[in-house]
Every structure is written in C-alpha cells, then in structure tokens.
Amino acid sequence: MKEMIYQTICPGCGVGCGLFIRENDEGKLSIDHMKSSPVNLGKLCRFGMKLPHYYAKANNAENMVDGSAVDAETAIKAAVDILKDADTDSVALLSVGNTSNEEQMAFTKLAETLGTVVQTGVQKMCMPEPRTLAGIEKAKKIVLFVDPYVQYPLIVRRLLAAKQNGAHVISVGTKPLNLADETLDLKPEQYGELELDSESLIIADVHPNSDAGMVSYVKALAKGTGAGLQFMKPFMNSNGAALLANKDGSRIGLAELMEDIELGNIRTLVTLDSDPVELMPDAEAAIEALKKLDKLIVISSVKGPATGMADVVIATDPVYSKAGTFLNVEDSLQKNSGTGKAGVDALSLLNAGIGGKTFTHDEMNYLVMKTIEASKDGPSGKMQCSGTDIAVSSTDIPEDMYELRYLYNPFMWSDREDDNDFVLLNRNTVKKLGLKKGGCVNLKGEKGELKMRFRVESIPDGLVLTAKKLSIAKGVSTAISMEVC
Ligand code: SF4
C-alpha cells in the first residue's frame, strides 16, 4: 500500500504544534506524533487529535461559480471579471492567518494591485515582540488572562514546568484553573494587587473579537511593571498574516469591516481562509451582512458558511499538503513538507488578470524570508508601535440579568463539533434558578431562547460561560435572563 507522509503543523491555534499526517492510497488520513517538534514534543490536544476528521475530504473546498462546481481556471476567470468590474474603493481583502506565509504574501500582492490592504481582522496597534514559549518556564510569577486548558492547550506543559521551577501562577479571570496557585477576579483598576515585576510574565491573547479595553489594560500593566507580555493568538499563522500584510494603509478590526459591509461601503469582499460567519460571534448577523455584498469571492482550503454564499470559490490545497511556511506565536518559522501550490498559483493568475504581475511560489517564499529577516532588525523587546492604540470598550449587563460570555477555543473558531454542548454556571445561580442535576436551563436573550445542559463551575455570580457558539449570543458578551426548562 502506497502512503504519503506530510510533515506539518496543527491549524488549531497559534501554538503551531508539529505533527505528521499520513494519507493512504484510499485518501484515509491518520496522525503520527512528531516528538522532535520543539513546540509540543509530539503531544497534541483534543483538536489536534481530531485532525483526520477536520481534514476529511467532505470538508475540502471546491471551485465554484454561482453555486456550481467548475474547474480552477473558470473560477479564477470569474473572480478576475468581478474584480475588474469592481470599484476598487469598495473592495476589501480579509485574511486572519489560517494559511501559509507564501499565500499571505501572494494575497498582499493582489491587494497592492487593487490599491488596497489585506485586513487581518485585528486593528493596527502597538504590539510587543513575541517571546519564546520556552521563556514561560523561566518566569518567577505568571499571570494568566487566558484559560490555557481550553484556549491554547499545549502551553499547559510550559506552565507546569514553570511551576516546577518555582513559579507562582495567578489566573485573573472568571474560572479557577487547576494549575493556578490562586484565581483572582480583579477589575483592571485592581491589577496593582498582582505585584508584578521584571521577572513576571503576563499571558493574554489578542484576536478579532478581543475585548479592546482588556488588551489596552494588559499592555499598560506590562509597561507599568516591566513584566514580560506574551500575546497568544488563535490562528496558526496570525503572526505571519500581521507581518506580511501591507505596511501602509488602514487596518481595521473585523467588527468594523463587517459594519462597513453592512453600511454598503464595502461591496466586494475577497477572503483567504477566513470565514466571517465562523469568526464573528453572531453568525446570523454576519450572514445578513454578507448578503448585502454585491460579490463575495472566497479563496479557501475548507468549506464553511461563506463558501456556500460565495459568488466564486477558489479551492486551495488542504493545509497539511500545502508547500510553504508558517510563523507561530513565538515567531518560530515552521515549514510544511507538502508540495501543494494551488493557492499561490491561483492568486498569481488573479493578480495578472487584473493588471498585475504573475509570480511563483518560490518568489513568494523569497519575499517572505526577506520580510522576516528585515523584521529582526526591529528594536528588541520594545512595543512595535506602528499604529494608534485601541479604545476601551465594555458591555453593560443590567443588574437583573446574567452575562453570557464566550470561552474561545480551537473548535469554536473553526465552528467544529466538540463535546461542549453545555454552559457553565456557578452553584449560587443553580440554586437561585432551582435547576436540577441533569436538567436543563432556558437561556433568553434579545435574539430568542435556547435550552442548554449546564455544568457547575466556581465562576463569579452573574456569569454564564460557553465554549460553543450559541444562536442567542450577540457578541463575545451578551446580556441574558435564565429560567429552569
Ligand atoms: S495546542 Fe493548538 S496547535 Fe497544538 S494541537 Fe492544540 S489546537 Fe493544535
């Protein structure tokens, strides 16, 4: 039996765990652990272990025009016709970092020809330079603004090693963590109680739906105390996407981009492995916004809600079989052994079709390496302040209501099934509502009602956590009322 073995990284989050994907001659996929991968030493979380399911052929995108399957040439030609006719001021390109650096660079070339920029879903802002994940193990005090078990599972081993080295771990948040020495539910004005110094490390995250205020507070905390700051990111190549997007021009957040679509300022959207319906907390609102576009062009390796709505779908190779490189959250460059170049080739033809130059995968790789090299000349350890800072925002929850909050995780970002069909409530809430073990709770919001199973967790009063996208959610945080089913 002939078998292909691909050396690749997991597309589940920015940790970028290395693994092998085996593909037999019937197309059946299986996983092999890559013990030599310094990021994860062969270990994978539940999402990584389910990759054969994630990569199932039925999930692969297909070239389509107006809902009908076509060959790649026809799809690219249809996309060229759309872009040639479009008013360039009303065209937007979106790529959050779910694909290789080489495709990212090719997308940036397309943006340049169109006279626009690649939006990464995150507003341009000052960001600290990434730190090594191994550095977590050396910190004396670690403050977590993320739930590593749920959000970035393979940093747990780093945190446990840090604890063995004597680190004191504090979880600032809503949910107690097994590995934390203490969990503090602090308001930003109380962060001084953390008593951080230059031997401390803050681990937070930034993504298209981050609480902008929180990101600002965390950055201010690091700056004011001299503590190190590691921002985790949910996409396999978030760092590559940010580095390779056009240097000039305005980069706006995903919510702002969707608002521009809603308002009719953006009439044509081109996405590269970035599905707004999966990325936005309110999937229904995202679908309604996308319906307002004149044209939607989706360039993707996987099917998703947006591929079903697109005027044109240009299919690329599954991530594991792509040629190319990726930058994980610590800016470590990882390389796929695959040879698939369909994405770069399609972008080259698309670029040439609208008046730009053709390019090859090798040329894109050369530009990627040059850009990475040039980025190393930046001031080490300093905030990369190339944009304005973001404004503080908050959600007001009326006193008699509960806050339904998203607990983001790899399954949620890619809208894949997982065993997370329940909400977390605390004991007081369960008692107050008269909920019975094994029963269900009825969640009510402006968008309707939903019956859910629940689990009891030591979280603050008034909070309801979900690791699964819920139809009643309006955003990362939603005011709801609850009653027994
Ligand atoms: S920690 Fe992230 S990259 Fe690693 S296996 Fe899990 S989802 Fe994939």
Side-chain angles (χ1 to χ4, degrees):
M1 186 188 282
K2 198 173 142 252
E3 189 180 51
M4 292 291 293
I5 301 175
Y6 298 91
Q7 176 177 329
T8 185
I9 64 168
C10 170
C13 79
V15 175
C17 296
L19 74 151
F20 297 103
I21 296 276
R22 291 175 177 270
E23 184 172 18
N24 72 14
D25 52 5
E26 286 165 0
K28 193 167 178 298
L29 303 176
S30 58
I31 280 170
D32 223 348
H33 298 270
M34 192 196 293
K35 293 204 169 85
S36 59
S37 170
V39 173
N40 56 317
L41 301 178
K43 295 178 173 55
L44 294 169
C45 73
R46 219 170 55 246
F47 186 91
M49 292 303 292
K50 287 187 175 179
L51 281 178
H53 179 68
Y54 174 90
Y55 283 130
K57 292 269 183 292
N59 295 332
N60 289 352
E62 291 169 89
N63 293 300
M64 312 274 283
V65 174
D66 295 331
S68 303
V70 294
D71 58 20
E73 204 183 322
T74 307
I76 294 164
K77 186 175 175 315
V80 167
D81 290 345
I82 289 173
L83 292 177
K84 275 205 315 205
D85 281 352
D87 167 9
T88 48
D89 285 345
S90 68
V91 177
L93 273 64
L94 173 70
S95 179
V96 296
N98 280 319
T99 190
S100 68
N101 286 321
E102 287 67 21
E103 286 186 14
Q104 287 290 156
M105 184 54 99
F107 205 45
T108 297
K109 291 282 151 212
L110 182 71
E112 285 170 2
T113 305
L114 285 164
T116 185
V117 296
V118 172
Q119 299 295 346
T120 62
V122 177
Q123 188 174 332
K124 205 168 176 179
M125 60 178 143
C126 301
M127 291 298 285
E129 282 191 358
R131 307 169 65 89
T132 63
L133 294 174
I136 295 174
E137 299 177 21
K138 298 193 185 113
K140 294 274 179 283
K141 187 185 263 190
I142 299 174
V143 176
L144 295 168
F145 284 88
V146 293
D147 178 342
Y149 294 106
V150 177
Q151 296 177 274
Y152 305 102
L154 259 296
I155 63 165
V156 169
R157 72 181 188 92
R158 302 284 188 189
L159 292 163
L160 293 173
K163 282 194 69 150
Q164 270 186 355
N165 293 336
H168 184 76
V169 179
I170 304 173
S171 165
V172 177
T174 48
K175 191 167 162 270
L177 301 176
N178 282 343
L179 59 69
D181 296 293
E182 48 184 332
T183 299
L184 304 173
D185 184 22
L186 298 179
K187 303 251 177 309
E189 55 274 19
Q190 298 169 304
Y191 288 169
E193 293 174 26
L194 293 166
E195 297 180 345
L196 303 183
D197 59 26
S198 58
E199 292 189 304
S200 310
L201 176 66
I202 301 165
I203 304 180
D205 72 347
V206 66
H207 54 72
N209 303 318
S210 286
D211 182 305
M214 206 59 200
V215 172
S216 292
Y217 278 125
V218 163
K219 286 195 300 182
L221 179 63
K223 207 170 168 186
T225 59
L229 174 57
Q230 171 68 54
F231 273 122
M232 302 302 294
K233 292 165 192 166
F235 312 118
M236 70 184 306
N237 200 22
S238 301
N239 280 18
L243 179 69
L244 301 170
N246 320 52
K247 291 290 161 276
D248 301 318
S250 80
R251 292 237 302 275
I252 55 176
L254 183 61
E256 222 176 323
L257 178 71
M258 296 307 285
E259 203 179 311
D260 272 347
I261 294 172
E262 190 75 56
L263 293 170
N265 299 331
I266 301 295
R267 313 277 341 153
T268 302
L269 178 67
V270 189
T271 62
L272 179 63
D273 279 289
S274 305
D275 189 326
V277 182
E278 288 176 351
L279 295 169
M280 289 295 286
D282 185 341
E284 255 176 63
I287 289 171
E288 288 312 309
L290 293 184
K291 281 183 188 165
K292 296 200 171 159
L293 288 166
D294 290 338
K295 298 289 176 190
L296 173 62
I297 300 171
V298 171
I299 306 167
S300 181
S301 61
V302 285
K303 273 185 195 151
T307 53
M309 299 178 72
D311 298 280
V312 177
V313 179
I314 298 175
T316 63
D317 310 278
V319 168
Y320 71 87
S321 65
K322 277 185 205 298
T325 58
F326 306 84
L327 282 176
N328 77 349
V329 284
E330 55 180 351
D331 265 1
S332 148
L333 188 72
Q334 292 153 296
K335 196 168 181 285
N336 257 11
S337 68
T339 54
K341 296 175 181 169
V344 171
D345 290 348
L347 284 159
S348 167
L349 291 172
L350 202 46
N351 194 45
I354 59 166
K357 288 185 181 163
T358 56
F359 40 73
T360 64
H361 193 277
D362 283 353
E363 284 165 351
M364 292 301 100
N365 178 260
Y366 172 76
L367 290 178
V368 167
M369 294 307 145
K370 226 170 101 176
T371 312
I372 292 173
E373 226 16 75
S375 72
K376 289 182 185 158
D377 297 337
S380 178
K382 301 254 171 65
M383 291 271 186
Q384 298 166 349
C385 293
S386 52
T388 51
D389 227 329
I390 40 183
V392 175
S393 67
S394 64
T395 310
D396 285 331
I397 307 292
E399 252 179 39
D400 56 340
M401 296 184 88
Y402 295 86
E403 181 186 1
L404 174 69
R405 198 183 297 173
Y406 274 1
L407 196 51
Y408 271 109
N409 60 85
F411 293 95
M412 201 178 204
W413 282 114
S414 56
D415 213 7
R416 300 297 170 112
E417 284 295 313
D418 189 30
D419 179 23
N420 53 12
D421 215 1
F422 55 85
V423 290
L424 298 177
L425 310 172
N426 79 4
R427 211 167 285 286
N428 286 346
T429 306
V430 169
K431 229 172 169 178
K432 196 167 144 194
L433 297 173
L435 300 174
K436 297 274 174 292
K437 201 177 168 194
C440 85
V441 58
N442 196 26
L443 316 177
K444 278 189 188 176
E446 263 180 50
K447 290 184 65 196
E449 308 185 16
L450 193 63
K451 288 183 174 38
M452 292 288 291
R453 291 184 297 141
F454 66 91
R455 282 192 192 171
V456 178
E457 183 74 77
S458 306
I459 58 175
D461 277 339
L463 196 63
V464 184
L465 294 179
T466 172
K468 180 188 164 82
K469 250 177 156 180
L470 300 182
S471 59
I472 59 160
K474 289 183 70 186
V476 178
S477 171
T478 307
I480 58 162
S481 58
M482 294 191 290
E483 60 188 21
V484 65
C485 290

Short mmCIF file of all heavy atoms in Angstrom, two decimals, residues 184-221:
data_model
loop_
_atom_site.label_atom_id
_atom_site.label_comp_id
_atom_site.label_asym_id
_atom_site.label_seq_id
_atom_site.Cartn_x
_atom_site.Cartn_y
_atom_site.Cartn_z
N LEU A 184 -7.90 35.11 40.80
CA LEU A 184 -8.39 36.38 41.28
C LEU A 184 -9.32 37.00 40.26
O LEU A 184 -8.97 37.10 39.08
CB LEU A 184 -7.21 37.34 41.54
CG LEU A 184 -6.13 36.84 42.51
CD1 LEU A 184 -4.96 37.81 42.54
CD2 LEU A 184 -6.71 36.68 43.91
N ASP A 185 -10.49 37.39 40.71
CA ASP A 185 -11.42 38.06 39.81
C ASP A 185 -11.22 39.56 40.00
O ASP A 185 -11.92 40.19 40.79
CB ASP A 185 -12.86 37.63 40.14
CG ASP A 185 -13.86 38.23 39.18
OD1 ASP A 185 -13.45 38.61 38.06
OD2 ASP A 185 -15.04 38.33 39.54
N LEU A 186 -10.24 40.10 39.29
CA LEU A 186 -9.86 41.51 39.50
C LEU A 186 -10.39 42.41 38.41
O LEU A 186 -10.44 42.03 37.24
CB LEU A 186 -8.32 41.63 39.51
CG LEU A 186 -7.54 40.89 40.59
CD1 LEU A 186 -6.06 41.13 40.38
CD2 LEU A 186 -7.97 41.36 41.98
N LYS A 187 -10.74 43.61 38.78
CA LYS A 187 -11.07 44.65 37.81
C LYS A 187 -9.75 45.31 37.43
O LYS A 187 -8.79 45.28 38.21
CB LYS A 187 -11.98 45.71 38.47
CG LYS A 187 -13.25 45.15 39.06
CD LYS A 187 -14.45 45.57 38.25
CE LYS A 187 -15.75 45.00 38.74
NZ LYS A 187 -15.80 43.57 38.96
N PRO A 188 -9.67 45.89 36.23
CA PRO A 188 -8.40 46.49 35.80
C PRO A 188 -7.80 47.44 36.82
O PRO A 188 -6.58 47.46 37.02
CB PRO A 188 -8.76 47.21 34.50
CG PRO A 188 -9.90 46.41 33.96
CD PRO A 188 -10.67 45.95 35.16
N GLU A 189 -8.65 48.22 37.51
CA GLU A 189 -8.09 49.17 38.49
C GLU A 189 -7.47 48.45 39.70
O GLU A 189 -6.81 49.08 40.52
CB GLU A 189 -9.14 50.21 38.91
CG GLU A 189 -10.45 49.67 39.44
CD GLU A 189 -11.48 49.34 38.36
OE1 GLU A 189 -11.09 49.18 37.19
OE2 GLU A 189 -12.67 49.23 38.70
N GLN A 190 -7.70 47.13 39.80
CA GLN A 190 -7.10 46.38 40.93
C GLN A 190 -5.84 45.61 40.51
O GLN A 190 -5.29 44.86 41.30
CB GLN A 190 -8.13 45.37 41.46
CG GLN A 190 -9.41 46.02 42.01
CD GLN A 190 -10.49 44.97 42.27
OE1 GLN A 190 -10.86 44.22 41.36
NE2 GLN A 190 -10.97 44.90 43.49
N TYR A 191 -5.40 45.77 39.28
CA TYR A 191 -4.26 44.97 38.80
C TYR A 191 -2.97 45.22 39.59
O TYR A 191 -2.07 44.40 39.58
CB TYR A 191 -3.99 45.23 37.30
CG TYR A 191 -5.03 44.62 36.37
CD1 TYR A 191 -5.05 44.95 35.02
CD2 TYR A 191 -5.98 43.72 36.84
CE1 TYR A 191 -6.00 44.41 34.17
CE2 TYR A 191 -6.93 43.18 35.99
CZ TYR A 191 -6.94 43.52 34.66
OH TYR A 191 -7.87 42.99 33.81
N GLY A 192 -2.91 46.37 40.28
CA GLY A 192 -1.75 46.67 41.11
C GLY A 192 -1.54 45.58 42.17
O GLY A 192 -0.41 45.29 42.58
N GLU A 193 -2.64 44.92 42.58
CA GLU A 193 -2.56 43.86 43.60
C GLU A 193 -1.75 42.66 43.13
O GLU A 193 -1.35 41.81 43.90
CB GLU A 193 -3.98 43.37 43.96
CG GLU A 193 -4.80 44.42 44.69
CD GLU A 193 -6.25 43.97 44.89
OE1 GLU A 193 -6.49 42.75 44.94
OE2 GLU A 193 -7.13 44.86 45.01
N LEU A 194 -1.51 42.58 41.84
CA LEU A 194 -0.76 41.43 41.30
C LEU A 194 0.73 41.52 41.62
O LEU A 194 1.44 40.52 41.58
CB LEU A 194 -0.95 41.35 39.77
CG LEU A 194 -2.37 41.00 39.31
CD1 LEU A 194 -2.54 41.29 37.83
CD2 LEU A 194 -2.67 39.53 39.61
N GLU A 195 1.19 42.73 41.95
CA GLU A 195 2.59 42.98 42.34
C GLU A 195 3.57 42.35 41.35
O GLU A 195 4.38 41.48 41.70
CB GLU A 195 2.84 42.47 43.76
CG GLU A 195 2.00 43.21 44.78
CD GLU A 195 2.22 42.73 46.21
OE1 GLU A 195 2.81 41.64 46.37
OE2 GLU A 195 1.81 43.43 47.12
N LEU A 196 3.50 42.77 40.12
CA LEU A 196 4.37 42.22 39.08
C LEU A 196 5.68 42.99 39.00
O LEU A 196 5.75 44.15 39.39
CB LEU A 196 3.67 42.30 37.72
CG LEU A 196 2.32 41.59 37.63
CD1 LEU A 196 1.75 41.67 36.23
CD2 LEU A 196 2.45 40.12 38.03
N ASP A 197 6.70 42.31 38.50
CA ASP A 197 7.98 42.99 38.25
C ASP A 197 8.61 42.40 36.99
O ASP A 197 7.97 41.63 36.28
CB ASP A 197 8.90 42.88 39.48
CG ASP A 197 9.20 41.42 39.84
OD1 ASP A 197 9.13 40.56 38.93
OD2 ASP A 197 9.47 41.14 41.01
N SER A 198 9.87 42.72 36.78
CA SER A 198 10.51 42.33 35.51
C SER A 198 10.72 40.81 35.40
O SER A 198 11.05 40.31 34.34
CB SER A 198 11.84 43.05 35.35
OG SER A 198 12.64 42.74 36.47
N GLU A 199 10.55 40.09 36.50
CA GLU A 199 10.69 38.63 36.42
C GLU A 199 9.34 37.93 36.24
O GLU A 199 9.23 36.72 36.25
CB GLU A 199 11.38 38.10 37.68
CG GLU A 199 12.84 38.55 37.75
CD GLU A 199 13.58 37.86 38.88
OE1 GLU A 199 13.13 37.97 40.04
OE2 GLU A 199 14.59 37.22 38.60
N SER A 200 8.32 38.78 36.09
CA SER A 200 6.97 38.23 35.91
C SER A 200 6.63 38.15 34.42
O SER A 200 7.24 38.82 33.59
CB SER A 200 5.93 39.14 36.57
OG SER A 200 6.30 39.44 37.89
N LEU A 201 5.64 37.33 34.12
CA LEU A 201 5.19 37.19 32.74
C LEU A 201 3.66 37.22 32.70
O LEU A 201 3.00 36.51 33.48
CB LEU A 201 5.70 35.86 32.15
CG LEU A 201 5.21 35.53 30.74
CD1 LEU A 201 5.77 36.52 29.72
CD2 LEU A 201 5.62 34.10 30.36
N ILE A 202 3.13 38.03 31.80
CA ILE A 202 1.68 38.08 31.60
C ILE A 202 1.37 37.31 30.32
O ILE A 202 2.01 37.52 29.28
CB ILE A 202 1.22 39.54 31.42
CG1 ILE A 202 1.58 40.38 32.64
CG2 ILE A 202 -0.28 39.61 31.12
CD1 ILE A 202 1.48 41.88 32.40
N ILE A 203 0.42 36.39 30.37
CA ILE A 203 -0.01 35.68 29.16
C ILE A 203 -1.48 36.05 28.90
O ILE A 203 -2.35 35.75 29.70
CB ILE A 203 0.16 34.16 29.28
CG1 ILE A 203 1.62 33.81 29.63
CG2 ILE A 203 -0.25 33.47 27.98
CD1 ILE A 203 1.90 32.33 29.77
N ALA A 204 -1.70 36.74 27.79
CA ALA A 204 -3.05 37.15 27.39
C ALA A 204 -3.23 36.74 25.94
O ALA A 204 -2.38 36.05 25.38
CB ALA A 204 -3.20 38.65 27.57
N ASP A 205 -4.34 37.11 25.35
CA ASP A 205 -4.45 36.83 23.91
C ASP A 205 -5.12 37.96 23.17
O ASP A 205 -5.76 38.82 23.77
CB ASP A 205 -5.11 35.47 23.62
CG ASP A 205 -6.60 35.41 23.91
OD1 ASP A 205 -7.12 36.33 24.56
OD2 ASP A 205 -7.23 34.43 23.47
N VAL A 206 -4.90 37.98 21.87
CA VAL A 206 -5.49 39.01 21.02
C VAL A 206 -6.01 38.34 19.75
O VAL A 206 -5.35 37.48 19.18
CB VAL A 206 -4.48 40.15 20.75
CG1 VAL A 206 -3.30 39.70 19.93
CG2 VAL A 206 -5.14 41.34 20.09
N HIS A 207 -7.23 38.70 19.38
CA HIS A 207 -7.87 38.09 18.21
C HIS A 207 -8.98 39.03 17.72
O HIS A 207 -9.24 40.06 18.35
CB HIS A 207 -8.40 36.71 18.58
CG HIS A 207 -9.31 36.68 19.76
ND1 HIS A 207 -10.59 37.19 19.72
CD2 HIS A 207 -9.12 36.24 21.03
CE1 HIS A 207 -11.16 37.04 20.90
NE2 HIS A 207 -10.30 36.48 21.72
N PRO A 208 -9.66 38.70 16.62
CA PRO A 208 -10.64 39.63 16.06
C PRO A 208 -11.76 40.03 17.03
O PRO A 208 -12.35 41.09 16.86
CB PRO A 208 -11.21 38.88 14.86
CG PRO A 208 -10.11 37.97 14.43
CD PRO A 208 -9.44 37.55 15.70
N ASN A 209 -12.07 39.20 18.01
CA ASN A 209 -13.16 39.55 18.93
C ASN A 209 -12.66 39.85 20.34
O ASN A 209 -13.43 39.79 21.30
CB ASN A 209 -14.20 38.42 18.97
CG ASN A 209 -14.75 38.13 17.60
OD1 ASN A 209 -15.03 39.05 16.84
ND2 ASN A 209 -14.87 36.87 17.24
N SER A 210 -11.37 40.17 20.45
CA SER A 210 -10.83 40.50 21.77
C SER A 210 -11.54 41.70 22.34
O SER A 210 -11.95 42.60 21.60
CB SER A 210 -9.35 40.90 21.65
OG SER A 210 -8.54 39.81 21.43
N ASP A 211 -11.63 41.73 23.65
CA ASP A 211 -12.13 42.92 24.32
C ASP A 211 -11.02 43.97 24.21
O ASP A 211 -9.95 43.83 24.77
CB ASP A 211 -12.41 42.57 25.79
CG ASP A 211 -12.99 43.76 26.54
OD1 ASP A 211 -12.35 44.83 26.51
OD2 ASP A 211 -14.05 43.60 27.14
N ALA A 212 -11.32 45.01 23.44
CA ALA A 212 -10.30 46.03 23.16
C ALA A 212 -9.79 46.67 24.44
O ALA A 212 -8.59 46.95 24.58
CB ALA A 212 -10.88 47.08 22.23
N GLY A 213 -10.70 46.90 25.38
CA GLY A 213 -10.29 47.52 26.63
C GLY A 213 -9.31 46.65 27.39
O GLY A 213 -8.31 47.11 27.93
N MET A 214 -9.58 45.34 27.39
CA MET A 214 -8.73 44.38 28.10
C MET A 214 -7.31 44.38 27.51
O MET A 214 -6.32 44.37 28.24
CB MET A 214 -9.36 43.00 27.92
CG MET A 214 -9.04 42.04 28.98
SD MET A 214 -9.60 42.73 30.54
CE MET A 214 -8.61 41.77 31.61
N VAL A 215 -7.24 44.40 26.19
CA VAL A 215 -5.93 44.40 25.52
C VAL A 215 -5.14 45.63 25.96
O VAL A 215 -3.96 45.55 26.30
CB VAL A 215 -6.09 44.36 23.98
CG1 VAL A 215 -4.75 44.55 23.28
CG2 VAL A 215 -6.73 43.06 23.53
N SER A 216 -5.82 46.78 26.00
CA SER A 216 -5.15 48.02 26.40
C SER A 216 -4.68 47.95 27.85
O SER A 216 -3.56 48.33 28.17
CB SER A 216 -6.10 49.21 26.26
OG SER A 216 -6.36 49.44 24.92
N TYR A 217 -5.56 47.43 28.73
CA TYR A 217 -5.20 47.34 30.15
C TYR A 217 -4.00 46.42 30.35
O TYR A 217 -3.10 46.70 31.14
CB TYR A 217 -6.38 46.82 30.97
CG TYR A 217 -7.39 47.88 31.32
CD1 TYR A 217 -8.73 47.71 31.00
CD2 TYR A 217 -7.01 49.03 31.99
CE1 TYR A 217 -9.67 48.68 31.32
CE2 TYR A 217 -7.94 50.00 32.32
CZ TYR A 217 -9.27 49.82 31.97
OH TYR A 217 -10.18 50.79 32.30
N VAL A 218 -3.99 45.30 29.64
CA VAL A 218 -2.91 44.33 29.80
C VAL A 218 -1.58 44.92 29.33
O VAL A 218 -0.55 44.75 29.96
CB VAL A 218 -3.28 43.02 29.04
CG1 VAL A 218 -2.07 42.15 28.84
CG2 VAL A 218 -4.35 42.25 29.81
N LYS A 219 -1.65 45.65 28.21
CA LYS A 219 -0.43 46.28 27.71
C LYS A 219 0.08 47.32 28.70
O LYS A 219 1.28 47.42 28.96
CB LYS A 219 -0.69 46.92 26.34
CG LYS A 219 -0.83 45.89 25.23
CD LYS A 219 -0.72 46.49 23.85
CE LYS A 219 -1.77 47.52 23.59
NZ LYS A 219 -1.71 48.08 22.25
N ALA A 220 -0.85 48.09 29.27
CA ALA A 220 -0.46 49.11 30.24
C ALA A 220 0.14 48.46 31.49
O ALA A 220 1.11 48.95 32.06
CB ALA A 220 -1.68 49.96 30.62
N LEU A 221 -0.42 47.31 31.88
CA LEU A 221 0.07 46.60 33.06
C LEU A 221 1.53 46.15 32.84
O LEU A 221 2.38 46.31 33.71
CB LEU A 221 -0.83 45.38 33.33
CG LEU A 221 -0.46 44.49 34.50
CD1 LEU A 221 -0.54 45.25 35.82
CD2 LEU A 221 -1.39 43.26 34.56
#
